[in-house]
Amino acid sequence: MSSSSAVRTLAAAGLLLPAALAGPAAAADAPAPQTVTVLNGDFADPVMKGDGPTTVGLDFWDGRNQRYSPSASGRTDNAHGVALEKEGNSLAQRLRGVRSGARVTVSYEDSPAVSKECTGPDVVSGQPYTVEGSGGTAQAVTTAGDPDRVKGTPGTGVWTKRSYTFTAGENEPLLAFASKVTDSKTHVTCTPMIARVRAVEVPVPLDRTVDKTNLGRAEAYKGNERQSTLHNAAAACNGDNACVFRPDMRMSFRYYDRARVVGEAFVNCTRNTLEHTRVVSFADRSYDSIAQTYAAAGLPLNDVAKLPTSGDRTEDEKRIKERPMAGQFSLAYEKGWQRAWQWFSGEQRNVVERIQPGEVSWVELQPSRERVEGWFLSKKDDYRLHAVIDGPSRGVPDRLLQRTGPMSEAEKQRCAAARPMTTTPVDSGGAAYSSDKGLMKVAPPTARATRTVPLS
């Protein structure tokens, strides 16, 4: 499948962000069924020459099975038929964007083999196979029969519509079809056929209670193979245009974080109303599931996977300039939301406080944040890296709450405490001393008239 075709398919499945979208959509409490991406569901890629059968690796599918053109498959649409070549060689693909817990319904069509190698007994009662999705039970199915076959003459197909429903037991569950024809004479070329695979899901409700410090485990895939580490997928994005980020709108939203006190509480222990101005400073940072996944595993974070979420302003400013994945994410966000993404924020505000006697004044911040979930997709379309990024939002303003209220018991006790004093060690309860003899300089008496009085 060409890159443009893959992009169109992803867009149809809701994995691409609409350019004119004004903000992240909020998922409903009871999600409605949604289309699931089944890449190359008509088995048309790579382009086929002739009618087949040809044994080929189909784009986006695992397994090498026999493919027939639509006309050779006995079909009137553009869907090719694929014969499940032999037991143990399944036809499998991971369902993009499906999350664990989603209820998935797969629709497709099956037919007994059209191979000219088949005889009547090979297909008279139909042919067995299984269909299974990760987390579901393997469903055993037998195709319709085609009893009037003669070896050497191709069949015209007996196509029957089928469906299979399962609950995903993992993210990106693996859908697999496998032949159960075991006759050694027929299982190589005369096997059940599959065509026109489609899927819908009822997704899990969006969980808004997940904390920004515990965003879940990041995951990486190469094609349909789950990777044991994130390193190779992150390394594949180590270039300005090596990957693109595609948000999953169902899981992206804005929210207000829990309120926190910023600055000090001002306690008015006086008998008067106080009024003054003070400066309040506050800052916020971003978080990402990639760094948290490495931390949870006790592993050092690879340089190529370092997004600007360290919490160190100087370090994060450096990462914005040097880490390609930071630019890939910011570019996708800016194109979709028509505003720039901010990895960190900081503000200073002058707050005028008027505090009544016996009250306390403080300031609370309830920051506006934004959570974006999605995929880093390599341009070669081989690696996919799932990530959740949570950062300060420019979509709505922060809430700054100026609060006053009664004192706590501890604050009342502190206000009632005596002023710190030194003690009087001797006769502290006696009357005040009556003079300061020898301590004060007394002015000399002024000159005045005198008289003598004789003593008798």
Side-chain angles (χ1 to χ4, degrees), residues 245-261:
F245 184 82
R246 302 298 186 197
D248 183 346
M249 293 309 304
R250 303 167 304 171
M251 300 295 173
S252 301
F253 60 95
R254 289 194 299 264
Y255 69 100
Y256 278 109
D257 204 358
R258 289 188 295 270
R260 68 175 190 264
V261 176

PDB file of all heavy atoms in Angstrom, residues 245-261:
ATOM      1  N   PHE A 245       3.911  12.509  13.986  1.00  0.00           N
ATOM      2  CA  PHE A 245       3.087  12.166  15.132  1.00  0.00           C
ATOM      3  C   PHE A 245       1.621  12.286  14.743  1.00  0.00           C
ATOM      4  O   PHE A 245       1.205  13.289  14.164  1.00  0.00           O
ATOM      5  CB  PHE A 245       3.394  13.084  16.323  1.00  0.00           C
ATOM      6  CG  PHE A 245       2.623  12.699  17.563  1.00  0.00           C
ATOM      7  CD1 PHE A 245       3.083  11.677  18.381  1.00  0.00           C
ATOM      8  CD2 PHE A 245       1.441  13.339  17.892  1.00  0.00           C
ATOM      9  CE1 PHE A 245       2.370  11.302  19.510  1.00  0.00           C
ATOM     10  CE2 PHE A 245       0.723  12.973  19.021  1.00  0.00           C
ATOM     11  CZ  PHE A 245       1.196  11.959  19.840  1.00  0.00           C
ATOM     12  N   ARG A 246       0.833  11.242  15.042  1.00  0.00           N
ATOM     13  CA  ARG A 246      -0.595  11.234  14.730  1.00  0.00           C
ATOM     14  C   ARG A 246      -1.396  11.126  16.010  1.00  0.00           C
ATOM     15  O   ARG A 246      -1.401  10.094  16.663  1.00  0.00           O
ATOM     16  CB  ARG A 246      -0.938  10.044  13.820  1.00  0.00           C
ATOM     17  CG  ARG A 246      -0.167  10.016  12.509  1.00  0.00           C
ATOM     18  CD  ARG A 246      -0.463  11.234  11.666  1.00  0.00           C
ATOM     19  NE  ARG A 246       0.162  11.157  10.348  1.00  0.00           N
ATOM     20  CZ  ARG A 246       0.346  12.183   9.555  1.00  0.00           C
ATOM     21  NH1 ARG A 246      -0.047  13.386   9.934  1.00  0.00           N
ATOM     22  NH2 ARG A 246       0.921  12.027   8.380  1.00  0.00           N
ATOM     23  N   PRO A 247      -2.087  12.200  16.417  1.00  0.00           N
ATOM     24  CA  PRO A 247      -2.882  12.128  17.649  1.00  0.00           C
ATOM     25  C   PRO A 247      -4.098  11.223  17.484  1.00  0.00           C
ATOM     26  O   PRO A 247      -4.693  11.152  16.414  1.00  0.00           O
ATOM     27  CB  PRO A 247      -3.322  13.582  17.860  1.00  0.00           C
ATOM     28  CG  PRO A 247      -2.437  14.403  16.991  1.00  0.00           C
ATOM     29  CD  PRO A 247      -2.077  13.545  15.825  1.00  0.00           C
ATOM     30  N   ASP A 248      -4.446  10.526  18.550  1.00  0.00           N
ATOM     31  CA  ASP A 248      -5.696   9.770  18.621  1.00  0.00           C
ATOM     32  C   ASP A 248      -6.702  10.671  19.344  1.00  0.00           C
ATOM     33  O   ASP A 248      -6.655  10.840  20.562  1.00  0.00           O
ATOM     34  CB  ASP A 248      -5.484   8.469  19.395  1.00  0.00           C
ATOM     35  CG  ASP A 248      -6.738   7.604  19.432  1.00  0.00           C
ATOM     36  OD1 ASP A 248      -7.825   8.111  19.103  1.00  0.00           O
ATOM     37  OD2 ASP A 248      -6.632   6.414  19.793  1.00  0.00           O
ATOM     38  N   MET A 249      -7.609  11.258  18.578  1.00  0.00           N
ATOM     39  CA  MET A 249      -8.496  12.276  19.122  1.00  0.00           C
ATOM     40  C   MET A 249      -9.431  11.740  20.193  1.00  0.00           C
ATOM     41  O   MET A 249      -9.878  12.472  21.066  1.00  0.00           O
ATOM     42  CB  MET A 249      -9.303  12.914  17.997  1.00  0.00           C
ATOM     43  CG  MET A 249      -8.471  13.731  17.040  1.00  0.00           C
ATOM     44  SD  MET A 249      -7.429  14.928  17.922  1.00  0.00           S
ATOM     45  CE  MET A 249      -8.683  15.805  18.836  1.00  0.00           C
ATOM     46  N   ARG A 250      -9.713  10.453  20.160  1.00  0.00           N
ATOM     47  CA  ARG A 250     -10.626   9.889  21.153  1.00  0.00           C
ATOM     48  C   ARG A 250     -10.022   9.943  22.548  1.00  0.00           C
ATOM     49  O   ARG A 250     -10.747   9.956  23.542  1.00  0.00           O
ATOM     50  CB  ARG A 250     -10.964   8.438  20.798  1.00  0.00           C
ATOM     51  CG  ARG A 250     -11.565   8.244  19.420  1.00  0.00           C
ATOM     52  CD  ARG A 250     -11.561   6.778  19.037  1.00  0.00           C
ATOM     53  NE  ARG A 250     -10.224   6.212  19.117  1.00  0.00           N
ATOM     54  CZ  ARG A 250      -9.954   4.917  19.002  1.00  0.00           C
ATOM     55  NH1 ARG A 250     -10.938   4.059  18.819  1.00  0.00           N
ATOM     56  NH2 ARG A 250      -8.712   4.473  19.078  1.00  0.00           N
ATOM     57  N   MET A 251      -8.710   9.940  22.627  1.00  0.00           N
ATOM     58  CA  MET A 251      -8.032   9.862  23.912  1.00  0.00           C
ATOM     59  C   MET A 251      -7.326  11.160  24.285  1.00  0.00           C
ATOM     60  O   MET A 251      -6.528  11.185  25.216  1.00  0.00           O
ATOM     61  CB  MET A 251      -6.996   8.722  23.872  1.00  0.00           C
ATOM     62  CG  MET A 251      -7.602   7.361  23.592  1.00  0.00           C
ATOM     63  SD  MET A 251      -8.706   6.853  24.941  1.00  0.00           S
ATOM     64  CE  MET A 251      -9.400   5.348  24.238  1.00  0.00           C
ATOM     65  N   SER A 252      -7.594  12.258  23.573  1.00  0.00           N
ATOM     66  CA  SER A 252      -6.939  13.536  23.835  1.00  0.00           C
ATOM     67  C   SER A 252      -7.952  14.514  24.408  1.00  0.00           C
ATOM     68  O   SER A 252      -9.077  14.620  23.902  1.00  0.00           O
ATOM     69  CB  SER A 252      -6.329  14.092  22.542  1.00  0.00           C
ATOM     70  OG  SER A 252      -5.384  13.175  22.005  1.00  0.00           O
ATOM     71  N   PHE A 253      -7.565  15.237  25.456  1.00  0.00           N
ATOM     72  CA  PHE A 253      -8.529  16.126  26.114  1.00  0.00           C
ATOM     73  C   PHE A 253      -7.793  17.178  26.951  1.00  0.00           C
ATOM     74  O   PHE A 253      -6.625  17.033  27.280  1.00  0.00           O
ATOM     75  CB  PHE A 253      -9.468  15.322  27.015  1.00  0.00           C
ATOM     76  CG  PHE A 253      -8.778  14.556  28.116  1.00  0.00           C
ATOM     77  CD1 PHE A 253      -8.652  15.091  29.390  1.00  0.00           C
ATOM     78  CD2 PHE A 253      -8.246  13.297  27.876  1.00  0.00           C
ATOM     79  CE1 PHE A 253      -8.019  14.392  30.406  1.00  0.00           C
ATOM     80  CE2 PHE A 253      -7.613  12.582  28.883  1.00  0.00           C
ATOM     81  CZ  PHE A 253      -7.494  13.130  30.150  1.00  0.00           C
ATOM     82  N   ARG A 254      -8.528  18.254  27.283  1.00  0.00           N
ATOM     83  CA  ARG A 254      -8.045  19.286  28.209  1.00  0.00           C
ATOM     84  C   ARG A 254      -8.711  19.069  29.560  1.00  0.00           C
ATOM     85  O   ARG A 254      -9.817  18.558  29.648  1.00  0.00           O
ATOM     86  CB  ARG A 254      -8.373  20.684  27.693  1.00  0.00           C
ATOM     87  CG  ARG A 254      -7.556  21.108  26.491  1.00  0.00           C
ATOM     88  CD  ARG A 254      -7.689  22.615  26.262  1.00  0.00           C
ATOM     89  NE  ARG A 254      -9.063  23.018  26.007  1.00  0.00           N
ATOM     90  CZ  ARG A 254      -9.574  23.190  24.795  1.00  0.00           C
ATOM     91  NH1 ARG A 254      -8.838  22.972  23.737  1.00  0.00           N
ATOM     92  NH2 ARG A 254     -10.817  23.571  24.652  1.00  0.00           N
ATOM     93  N   TYR A 255      -8.032  19.528  30.615  1.00  0.00           N
ATOM     94  CA  TYR A 255      -8.611  19.374  31.947  1.00  0.00           C
ATOM     95  C   TYR A 255      -7.946  20.357  32.908  1.00  0.00           C
ATOM     96  O   TYR A 255      -6.886  20.913  32.607  1.00  0.00           O
ATOM     97  CB  TYR A 255      -8.432  17.942  32.460  1.00  0.00           C
ATOM     98  CG  TYR A 255      -7.004  17.555  32.773  1.00  0.00           C
ATOM     99  CD1 TYR A 255      -6.522  17.558  34.081  1.00  0.00           C
ATOM    100  CD2 TYR A 255      -6.110  17.198  31.756  1.00  0.00           C
ATOM    101  CE1 TYR A 255      -5.220  17.194  34.376  1.00  0.00           C
ATOM    102  CE2 TYR A 255      -4.804  16.828  32.038  1.00  0.00           C
ATOM    103  CZ  TYR A 255      -4.361  16.834  33.347  1.00  0.00           C
ATOM    104  OH  TYR A 255      -3.068  16.487  33.633  1.00  0.00           O
ATOM    105  N   TYR A 256      -8.575  20.570  34.061  1.00  0.00           N
ATOM    106  CA  TYR A 256      -7.978  21.349  35.134  1.00  0.00           C
ATOM    107  C   TYR A 256      -7.374  20.395  36.154  1.00  0.00           C
ATOM    108  O   TYR A 256      -8.033  19.465  36.618  1.00  0.00           O
ATOM    109  CB  TYR A 256      -9.008  22.252  35.814  1.00  0.00           C
ATOM    110  CG  TYR A 256      -9.260  23.540  35.073  1.00  0.00           C
ATOM    111  CD1 TYR A 256     -10.464  23.758  34.413  1.00  0.00           C
ATOM    112  CD2 TYR A 256      -8.292  24.541  35.027  1.00  0.00           C
ATOM    113  CE1 TYR A 256     -10.697  24.937  33.725  1.00  0.00           C
ATOM    114  CE2 TYR A 256      -8.518  25.727  34.342  1.00  0.00           C
ATOM    115  CZ  TYR A 256      -9.724  25.921  33.695  1.00  0.00           C
ATOM    116  OH  TYR A 256      -9.946  27.087  33.015  1.00  0.00           O
ATOM    117  N   ASP A 257      -6.125  20.631  36.493  1.00  0.00           N
ATOM    118  CA  ASP A 257      -5.436  19.798  37.471  1.00  0.00           C
ATOM    119  C   ASP A 257      -5.908  20.157  38.878  1.00  0.00           C
ATOM    120  O   ASP A 257      -6.602  21.168  39.085  1.00  0.00           O
ATOM    121  CB  ASP A 257      -3.927  20.021  37.354  1.00  0.00           C
ATOM    122  CG  ASP A 257      -3.124  18.834  37.865  1.00  0.00           C
ATOM    123  OD1 ASP A 257      -3.731  17.855  38.351  1.00  0.00           O
ATOM    124  OD2 ASP A 257      -1.882  18.878  37.780  1.00  0.00           O
ATOM    125  N   ARG A 258      -5.526  19.340  39.859  1.00  0.00           N
ATOM    126  CA  ARG A 258      -5.871  19.626  41.246  1.00  0.00           C
ATOM    127  C   ARG A 258      -5.259  20.953  41.679  1.00  0.00           C
ATOM    128  O   ARG A 258      -4.138  21.302  41.295  1.00  0.00           O
ATOM    129  CB  ARG A 258      -5.363  18.505  42.155  1.00  0.00           C
ATOM    130  CG  ARG A 258      -6.131  17.203  41.999  1.00  0.00           C
ATOM    131  CD  ARG A 258      -5.711  16.210  43.064  1.00  0.00           C
ATOM    132  NE  ARG A 258      -4.318  15.837  42.890  1.00  0.00           N
ATOM    133  CZ  ARG A 258      -3.915  14.810  42.151  1.00  0.00           C
ATOM    134  NH1 ARG A 258      -4.800  14.067  41.509  1.00  0.00           N
ATOM    135  NH2 ARG A 258      -2.623  14.517  42.054  1.00  0.00           N
ATOM    136  N   ALA A 259      -6.014  21.695  42.495  1.00  0.00           N
ATOM    137  CA  ALA A 259      -5.529  22.989  42.972  1.00  0.00           C
ATOM    138  C   ALA A 259      -4.390  22.786  43.962  1.00  0.00           C
ATOM    139  O   ALA A 259      -4.355  21.806  44.712  1.00  0.00           O
ATOM    140  CB  ALA A 259      -6.669  23.762  43.625  1.00  0.00           C
ATOM    141  N   ARG A 260      -3.441  23.712  43.940  1.00  0.00           N
ATOM    142  CA  ARG A 260      -2.352  23.689  44.912  1.00  0.00           C
ATOM    143  C   ARG A 260      -2.103  25.109  45.416  1.00  0.00           C
ATOM    144  O   ARG A 260      -2.365  26.095  44.710  1.00  0.00           O
ATOM    145  CB  ARG A 260      -1.085  23.125  44.295  1.00  0.00           C
ATOM    146  CG  ARG A 260      -0.445  23.986  43.216  1.00  0.00           C
ATOM    147  CD  ARG A 260       0.878  23.393  42.742  1.00  0.00           C
ATOM    148  NE  ARG A 260       1.642  24.270  41.878  1.00  0.00           N
ATOM    149  CZ  ARG A 260       1.619  24.235  40.559  1.00  0.00           C
ATOM    150  NH1 ARG A 260       0.838  23.354  39.941  1.00  0.00           N
ATOM    151  NH2 ARG A 260       2.360  25.066  39.852  1.00  0.00           N
ATOM    152  N   VAL A 261      -1.618  25.220  46.651  1.00  0.00           N
ATOM    153  CA  VAL A 261      -1.319  26.518  47.242  1.00  0.00           C
ATOM    154  C   VAL A 261       0.016  27.014  46.684  1.00  0.00           C
ATOM    155  O   VAL A 261       0.994  26.263  46.621  1.00  0.00           O
ATOM    156  CB  VAL A 261      -1.252  26.419  48.778  1.00  0.00           C
ATOM    157  CG1 VAL A 261      -0.839  27.755  49.381  1.00  0.00           C
ATOM    158  CG2 VAL A 261      -2.598  25.971  49.336  1.00  0.00           C
TER     159      VAL A 261
END
